[in-house]
Amino acid sequence: MKQLPVIIVLLGLLLCLVPSCEVENCPPNALAFAHFTLKDGNGKNLSFAVPVSVIGLMDNGGTLVCDTLINQESGASSFSLPLSYADKTRFVLVYSAESTDTITVEHRNIPYFMNIDCGTMMFYEVTRVSTTRHAIDSIVLTNPNIDNNEKENFKIYYPPVAAE
């Protein structure tokens, strides 16, 4: 009977040393990408016949930061690109040394906190999109909410001549 308190204390200490199990409910894809689909003038799917590069541009306090996001991709009919944490993201589509288009996406950043294990994810709400019209005919915002679910956000239309 005198050993019962000692046994209870030892069991209590043993239970304190055993870590509890936590189930992480983090999504497998914690990054949000803007999804672009290429269309011809008739609304049919289109793919790049020539290699195309995409360069991301960000204004970092007066300094322009450039990063190649897609390098010489051909045959793609869609692509996904990350947005910056600033309120505006620019992408330059480089078709050749002489031919480029710039897409400007203005957005509102929405921090999303799921739980302490997963950290914070950044979602976006697109408020405006514009483009130069060198090769691109137009761009249409199909879904302004950019989150970690893969869905089309933009349709880029090219005239039938540019698709050949």
Side-chain angles (χ1 to χ4, degrees):
M1 207 42 132
K2 291 181 180 181
Q3 293 180 351
L4 185 61
V6 173
I7 292 174
I8 292 175
V9 169
L10 287 175
L11 283 174
L13 288 174
L14 183 63
L15 288 175
C16 289
L17 295 176
V18 176
S20 62
C21 296
E22 285 189 34
V23 177
E24 288 188 21
N25 292 323
C26 299
N29 181 12
L31 300 175
F33 289 94
H35 298 278
F36 297 82
T37 304
L38 307 177
K39 301 287 184 179
D40 68 8
N42 299 321
K44 294 181 181 176
N45 287 342
L46 174 74
S47 60
F48 290 125
V50 296
V52 175
S53 295
V54 179
I55 299 169
L57 299 176
M58 184 182 77
D59 184 4
N60 187 12
T63 304
L64 191 62
V65 178
C66 304
D67 194 11
T68 301
L69 303 173
I70 297 175
N71 190 18
Q72 297 294 305
E73 179 72 32
S74 61
S77 60
S78 66
F79 51 90
S80 301
L81 299 172
L83 297 178
S84 72
Y85 288 161
D87 60 355
K88 186 187 299 184
T89 305
R90 287 191 178 100
F91 303 109
V92 178
L93 280 69
V94 181
Y95 310 108
S96 67
E98 305 84 32
S99 179
T100 64
D101 271 311
T102 301
I103 298 173
T104 303
V105 179
E106 296 178 29
H107 49 83
R108 184 173 68 90
N109 299 341
I110 305 166
Y112 180 76
F113 181 76
M114 180 174 252
N115 64 39
I116 197 160
D117 292 328
C118 300
T120 302
M121 296 182 282
M122 188 64 76
F123 293 162
Y124 307 91
E125 179 185 21
V126 177
T127 56
R128 185 173 181 271
V129 63
S130 60
T131 185
T132 57
R133 297 182 66 179
H134 301 274
I136 294 176
D137 182 54
S138 62
I139 186 166
V140 175
L141 176 63
T142 57
N143 186 343
N145 299 315
I146 299 174
D147 53 28
N148 61 335
N149 297 320
E150 292 186 24
K151 59 187 174 298
E152 177 186 76
N153 301 106
F154 303 95
K155 287 182 182 177
I156 301 174
Y157 288 93
Y158 287 89
V161 174
E164 307 279 330

